Amino acid sequence: MTRHQTHRWPQPLPGNERRLWFGGDYNPDQWPEEVWDEDVRLMRRAGVNLVSVGIFSWANIEVSDGVFEFGWLDRIVRKLGDAGIAVDLASATASPPMWLTQAHPEVLWRDERGDVCWPGARQHWRATSPVFRRYALRLCRAMAEHYRGNPAVVAWHVNNEYGCHNRFDYSDDAAAAFRRWCERRYGSIETVNEAWGTSFWAQRMGDFSEILPPRFIGDGNFMNPGKLLDFKRFSSDALKEFFIAERDALAAITPDRPLTTNFMVSAGGMGLDYDDWGGEVDFVSNDHYVTPGEAHLDELAYSSSLVDGIARKRPWFLMEQSTGAVNWRPINYRKEFGELIRDSLAHVAMGADAICYFQWRQSRAGAEKFHSAMVPHAGEHSEIFRDVCTLGEDLRILSREGVPGTTLARSRIALVVDYQSEWASEHSATPTQAVRHWTEPLDWFRALQDVGVTADVVPVAGDWASYEAVVLPSVFMLDEATSQRVRAYVEAGGTLLVTYYTGIVDERDHVWLGGYPGSIGDVVGVRSEEFAPMGDDYPGVPDRLALDNGAVAHDLADRITEVAPGVRVLARYVDASRTGMDAIPAITVNGFGRGSCVYVGCRLGRGGLAASLPMMLDAVAFAMDERACSPGGPRGAVMRVERRGEDGRRFVFSFNRTDERVRTMVEGRVLLASLAEVDEQGGEAILEPHGAIVTRVA
């Protein structure tokens, strides 16, 4: 995938050395000015060296049409700069002011039923509105002209979380833009008809003017899957086009300032094609909010690894996270003792050179007043703020030791993720609604952790072919070019692990014929004629399927009916003969060229995968790293990752993945120990729950 922007990182304020950036969103316009000096004092105490300012400040900057008041913003930017705190300045275009939407209600987006999204929340604008673009770009240019020479401003924060609320717009503006997008992509209406399979249900179109967005078609009906997939592509592209317009307006006036926008990459955060977007920013930024409960650390590491993959292993910026509870879940759980520090160190371990939060000071009013912050409602005399200060000192130590500029060391295994496979698998008429693409990569990441391997999560367009082993986890959509990449990788000696629901459709969402997995059947060496879904929605239907290695399949399995010569069956199903699944192959291994391919024909979940992985890895002679073992404890109890510099610097980060105390080996000189007791002479440490240690090896 073409990368249009070169990597440019925000540089420190004049006279300062490069450090890990530390801070958060700062909204001084929520507070009287007498609070600002207190904010600056506490920021200095906590070690904050950067804040993002003005993200939702359009109404306070452009107070009426064409009337700009920069005075308040100038004063706070000056205070911050004088205190040595850099500013990541927002374009302020994330949500339009009331005067704009009152004068131009045509900028408001519409849902699939045609209802208007009225002001009252945020992101109440449509990406395809020429009127909104005109006003937003005028604000961008005004901001850039006013702050073009300001030494405190080190980067531009363009808009905010594109598509968080306005991913899909079904307005007439969007319909016209969708038609233009289809014409650019396909060239002729007959090619659109072929791509969307419009011969089915009499949907054939005679002209581009007949193309409509996938508007409401009645409850319980099924939208054309080709159209729906392309509308998701279009929606990501339309928002990206709007970002590029804002970016270029700012860059034309301030070419020396790097620009970013904050993505929302998480295990389930698949709304936009962030890998596609990653080539349009000067540095990749992400907002990440943890999954509560036992998946907390693993999902964080998985998501951060994916961000690292999108950034192509260049330093990336954690723009938002929470110090504790959020406000937008039905139940907003607090973080447990030690997690505030542990989470941030884990992001650093996975390649982040900036650790920031939403937000600096917890709001008194508004929809996010119960969202935690660096300075909570309880003020500076609070456990959260004390932990923030401790984290600031930890990041200062890591900066002094040389962590900034180092990169996450490559794993031996790449775990491939594909946004468009997720979009295609989301359709409401599939073998089972219980299966999507996004859950399988996370299960594999966690299962690999359980056996002591921390995988790199790599976008499908990334450089996964250079890894020793590659996992294709339910990569539903494989086009011809990617299928050939897979084939060439294994032929050249690579080790491939493929699961059910991979290679089912091409880029048009057309099924590969000849049996599943159609696009790479020769590589895996098996052929399935039909899916065997499992569930509990009707009495007496199968809800699980046992394997003879002790694992249990659920949700979906392949009914493999053909196995090529030379394929070795590692596990079979054990079931009643009447079902036709008894003794059917479940896990196989096939030699292909100089390489080999393991095929997992069912959904095993984290536990079943972890139990089966030793057998699978042994079958392809993949030796595991014994350094991942916890002395006297289970394999995978400790997550161990490294950052390395081109000059030979090596930093080892170790995290307790369990709710129990665990022992781990200590390699090198200890820099940080959070909830950990270190015996450097004995070369071991005891990690408490949520404990972490960081060492410098070279």
Side-chain angles (χ1 to χ4, degrees), residues 424-444:
S425 69
E426 290 169 344
H427 196 266
S428 57
T430 58
T432 169
Q433 292 294 290
V435 172
R436 298 285 184 267
H437 164 62
W438 77 264
T439 61
E440 194 69 18
L442 179 60
D443 281 346
W444 274 85

Side-chain angles (χ1 to χ4, degrees), residues 271 398 623:
L398 295 181

Side-chain angles (χ1 to χ4, degrees), residues 90-170:
S91 65
T93 52
S95 288
M98 293 295 291
W99 60 259
L100 194 161
T101 54
Q102 187 174 48
H104 295 285
E106 69 270 23
V107 307
L108 301 170
W109 62 269
R110 291 178 178 266
D111 69 13
E112 63 179 357
R113 291 175 179 263
D115 292 336
V116 174
C117 173
W118 293 104
R122 61 178 183 174
Q123 285 194 330
H124 41 282
W125 54 273
R126 61 179 74 160
T128 56
S129 166
V131 175
F132 183 70
R133 177 176 292 206
R134 184 172 73 248
Y135 278 94
L137 296 189
R138 183 178 72 176
L139 177 60
C140 288
R141 288 188 285 268
M143 294 286 288
E145 289 286 359
H146 192 82
Y147 290 100
R148 67 189 305 172
N150 194 303
V153 177
V154 299
W156 283 109
H157 185 301
V158 186
N159 211 284
N160 188 73
E161 292 185 339
Y162 284 91
C164 183
H165 304 285
N166 61 347
R167 176 189 177 192
F168 297 133
D169 169 37
Y170 302 86

